[in-house]
Amino acid sequence: MTKPLLTAEGLTLRFGAIPALLDVAIDVSEGEVVAIVGESGSGKTTLLRVLSGMMTPDAGTVRWLGEEVHAMGEAARRRLMRTEWGFVHQNPRDGLRLNVSAGGNVGERLMAVGARHYGNIRTEALSWLAKVEIDAARIDDLPRTFSGGMQQRLQIARTLVTHPRLVFMDEPTGGLDVSVQARLLDLIRSLSRELGLSVLIVTHDIAAARLLADRILVMRRGRVVEQGLTDRVLDDPQHPYTQLLVSSVLAA
Amino acid sequence: MSALESPRAEGATMEGYNFAYLDEATKRMIRRAILKAVAIPGHQIPFGAREMPLPYGWGTGGIQVTASILGPADTLKVIDQGSDDTTNAISIRRFFRRVAGVATTEHTAEASVIQTRHRIPERTLREDQIMVYQVPQPEPLFRLEPRRAETKRLHALADYGLMHVRLYEDIARLGHIAKAYDYPVMVNGRYLMSPSPIPAFDNPKMHRMAALQLFGAGREKRIYAIPPYTEVRSLDFEDHPFRPIRAPHACALCRSTDTYLDEVITDDAGGRMFVCSDTDFCAERQAATAQEAAE
């Protein structure tokens, strides 16, 4: 296995008396898709927020290429967030600027890292809209006129335009209907393979995890109760909670 | 005599007021803010703006800055939309004549302090002059990011992608950058700054200007500055460069073709004329032409 990009160990975070994370360790390697699954309130989203530097843990370290994320200045962390990292929110409204056109949304990250040529920004935006299957004619439309699935695809285009190495995804398929979910998962899978992206995806959808992930972490009450290769964890669950989780998936 | 009282200027006509209206402690506070602003070009410095005897939006910030830099030997010029003879210009000039007893002028060349709203004079300014701008909204990111705490952070991190997104949107929708006034500039390659609502036409004049430029926002309680000979660049794209916009006409009075023009409606039958917005510059040109004709 290649050297891990992101490593974290001993992460602990409490909200008052409630433990959100208890001694969590995780690492993500180049080109690897890691899924974090678990029930609501198990600390999945908190873990993602801590790993991406949005929240500071009570104890433990997160390292990006050996550098401690929480020890970096805010400027360095923001630069990381708009160059080497990407964050796809569950609700596309959190990740998009709704009063800025689709093209402007995709171009924002480019302009934030110093692109100053309108024609090039436009070309890049068009090529990304094509990659996420949004009609080029809608480049100047506002995202609020888009459907939920389109907004989510636009958010992905906007995040990937600067070719990040690691993308955090917080339930990217939440709130979408099943057929749209399937297309979105397909898109995420093909893009991550094509670009050699590392993805850390939080989901409570076991089927989505099986489709996308190389490795799975199962979380419960702030602890990682089981982790391993996706097929191993899902076909041969060891921990009683994982067994419960896998057996409660509805087969269509 | 306490340290806070200043010697009254010769010829001051109002009794019961300190020189230039503000008390000395306030002036000192404003001067400290100005020094800080000059030290960090383009950075907004908060200050405790006082109530002034005119409403917000009429130039309370500019007046306070002028009051704290004015000395008895100064000559003051006040411009409102380029003109020396509109209400605001006349009242502010009279105000300082009464409370400070300073000389006032309508001629750019004679002034040592020029308080302005919406214009920079056409005549090139000198090192011994100071420009004071009245600013309604000092925050260039105001329309894009409503949270002050967040815009402060964006300034601190020089994270100005947002402003370019706005320019991008203009080009995408209208084919060109539509901002014709209050056109955002980068000062000294570091801070994004609102040049106050001057026309984009005046932006290039700020670049490496010999005079010190001070900006006062009374309602928003901010002061910022551009020291002499500082680099001031208007934001643009490589393939959509910044263009100073002016009406494509000659001034109807002085025939100038390179000054900023006002469109004046002369009747209700569609009659209109274009005249220089800088009345002093226009009058000087007319006088020069008349003299040539006479010789």
Side-chain angles (χ1 to χ4, degrees):
Chain A
M1 203 90 207
T2 47
K3 218 171 134 248
L5 290 174
L6 187 82
T7 51
E9 51 201 24
L11 293 179
T12 300
L13 179 64
R14 288 168 198 282
F15 297 122
I18 306 159
L21 296 176
L22 284 172
D23 197 23
V24 173
I26 186 173
D27 56 60
V28 183
S29 299
E30 185 99 57
E32 192 184 29
V33 178
V34 179
I36 306 170
V37 298
E39 61 195 359
S40 300
S42 59
K44 304 185 301 271
T45 299
T46 307
L47 177 59
L48 207 62
R49 293 176 67 87
V50 167
L51 290 175
S52 59
M54 288 193 236
M55 281 169 90
T56 313
D58 295 339
T61 54
V62 180
R63 289 173 193 278
W64 168 255
L65 300 172
E67 197 183 351
E68 216 175 299
V69 171
H70 292 93
M72 290 179 194
E74 196 183 347
R77 206 154 56 225
R78 279 208 179 200
R79 199 174 319 117
L80 205 56
M81 207 38 154
R82 60 178 190 241
T83 53
E84 302 205 82
W85 289 0
F87 201 106
V88 175
H89 295 263
Q90 173 173 9
N91 187 341
R93 285 172 198 82
D94 296 338
L96 292 174
R97 287 189 190 283
L98 292 180
N99 52 358
V100 167
S101 70
N105 265 296
V106 178
E108 181 176 352
R109 269 171 76 105
L110 291 171
M111 291 183 251
V113 296
R116 291 293 179 264
H117 191 283
Y118 176 79
N120 295 352
I121 294 169
R122 189 101 175 146
T123 315
E124 188 81 348
L126 279 169
S127 93
W128 271 97
L129 289 184
K131 276 183 204 160
V132 298
E133 300 165 19
I134 293 176
D135 188 0
R138 303 208 61 180
I139 184 168
D140 292 332
D141 290 352
L142 295 181
R144 73 163 70 95
T145 65
F146 288 10
S147 68
M150 276 171 87
Q151 287 183 357
Q152 197 57 284
R153 277 180 278 147
L154 181 61
Q155 194 191 183
I156 288 171
R158 166 189 160 89
T159 308
L160 298 187
V161 66
T162 48
H163 299 281
R165 296 171 72 180
L166 172 65
V167 180
F168 300 93
M169 295 190 181
D170 188 3
E171 308 204 15
T173 56
L176 300 176
D177 71 56
V178 186
S179 63
V180 177
Q181 271 192 27
R183 278 179 63 199
L184 193 69
L185 289 174
D186 205 38
L187 181 75
I188 295 173
R189 187 167 62 166
S190 58
L191 283 178
S192 64
R193 291 283 181 270
E194 215 170 279
L195 305 168
L197 280 180
S198 304
V199 179
L200 194 58
I201 185 168
V202 158
T203 179
H204 49 227
D205 183 350
I206 301 287
R210 188 192 279 277
L211 195 65
L212 289 175
D214 302 315
R215 266 192 316 130
I216 278 190
L217 273 81
V218 182
M219 286 191 73
R220 189 183 190 209
R221 295 187 187 157
R223 288 183 193 277
V224 177
V225 293
E226 184 164 2
Q227 61 172 310
L229 296 176
T230 306
D231 292 342
R232 207 282 292 149
V233 172
L234 296 184
D235 295 341
D236 180 20
Q238 304 289 316
H239 190 277
Y241 174 68
T242 317
Q243 291 169 358
L244 178 71
L245 205 64
V246 171
S247 65
S248 32
V249 173
L250 297 175
Chain B
M1 183 176 165
S2 89
L4 291 185
E5 283 168 44
S6 78
R8 183 158 288 276
E10 295 295 318
T13 49
M14 287 280 280
E15 281 305 318
Y17 284 101
N18 188 27
F19 175 74
Y21 187 77
L22 291 175
D23 61 276
E24 291 302 305
T26 300
K27 285 197 219 170
R28 208 180 289 174
M29 173 268 294
I30 294 175
R31 286 177 199 141
R32 273 201 298 268
I34 292 175
L35 285 176
K36 224 189 236 186
V38 171
I40 318 172
H43 180 52
Q44 301 166 44
I45 312 293
F47 78 111
R50 300 291 188 251
E51 291 258 342
M52 295 304 284
L54 77 168
Y56 287 138
W58 288 50
T60 51
I63 277 202
Q64 289 179 78
V65 171
T66 303
S68 23
I69 59 171
L70 217 52
D74 274 317
T75 310
L76 178 70
K77 170 182 162 84
V78 183
I79 333 172
D80 175 8
Q81 309 264 14
S83 165
D84 288 282
D85 45 18
T86 48
T87 320
N88 214 0
I90 293 174
S91 345
I92 293 176
R93 242 185 354 249
R94 192 175 55 199
F95 174 77
F96 279 115
R97 221 164 33 230
R98 286 168 70 188
V99 297
V102 294
T104 57
T105 180
E106 295 191 358
H107 301 298
T108 308
E110 291 168 8
S112 57
V113 176
I114 305 172
Q115 181 174 332
T116 182
R117 169 174 179 259
H118 292 202
R119 271 319 301 280
I120 297 176
E122 303 287 356
R123 175 189 280 273
T124 310
L125 299 175
R126 303 182 310 263
E127 278 179 16
D128 61 341
Q129 294 179 310
I130 300 178
M131 282 290 289
V132 177
Y133 297 78
Q134 302 172 195
V135 182
Q137 178 48 260
E139 179 52 72
L141 299 167
F142 169 64
R143 296 256 171 238
L144 306 166
E145 173 55 66
R147 291 166 296 177
R148 259 307 170 125
E150 181 65 14
T151 58
K152 266 176 88 173
R153 196 170 297 131
L154 293 176
H155 281 297
L157 301 171
D159 189 351
Y160 295 136
L162 204 53
M163 197 73 228
H164 267 94
V165 172
R166 140 113 227 224
L167 301 183
Y168 168 95
E169 288 288 288
D170 268 4
I171 302 176
R173 283 182 195 161
L174 308 156
H176 59 92
I177 297 173
K179 226 161 164 36
Y181 68 96
D182 203 357
Y183 192 105
V185 292
M186 280 298 278
V187 177
N188 206 21
R190 174 61 183 83
Y191 280 100
L192 182 70
M193 192 194 88
S194 151
S196 86
I198 59 170
F201 177 83
D202 282 344
N203 272 15
K205 292 181 194 156
M206 305 179 102
H207 181 58
R208 301 203 185 284
M209 187 193 273
L212 169 65
Q213 303 174 70
L214 303 175
F215 298 77
R219 188 193 335 112
E220 303 290 330
K221 301 182 172 45
R222 294 288 187 283
I223 285 174
Y224 51 102
I226 306 177
Y229 304 110
T230 303
E231 184 183 323
V232 179
R233 295 256 172 242
S234 305
L235 291 191
D236 59 1
F237 286 100
E238 286 155 22
D239 47 347
H240 283 265
F242 169 79
R243 304 175 292 132
I245 305 159
R246 74 180 283 280
H249 296 277
C251 170
L253 303 175
C254 76
R255 312 309 309 164
S256 163
T257 53
D258 55 2
T259 52
Y260 192 73
L261 302 178
D262 281 341
E263 184 178 5
V264 182
I265 292 173
T266 50
D267 53 35
D268 55 2
R272 58 194 57 203
M273 65 195 279
F274 287 89
V275 294
C276 285
S277 133
D278 186 340
T279 51
D280 170 50
F281 185 83
C282 194
E284 273 178 22
R285 268 182 62 101
Q286 288 176 61
T289 319
Q291 198 171 2
E292 266 173 40
E295 276 163 11

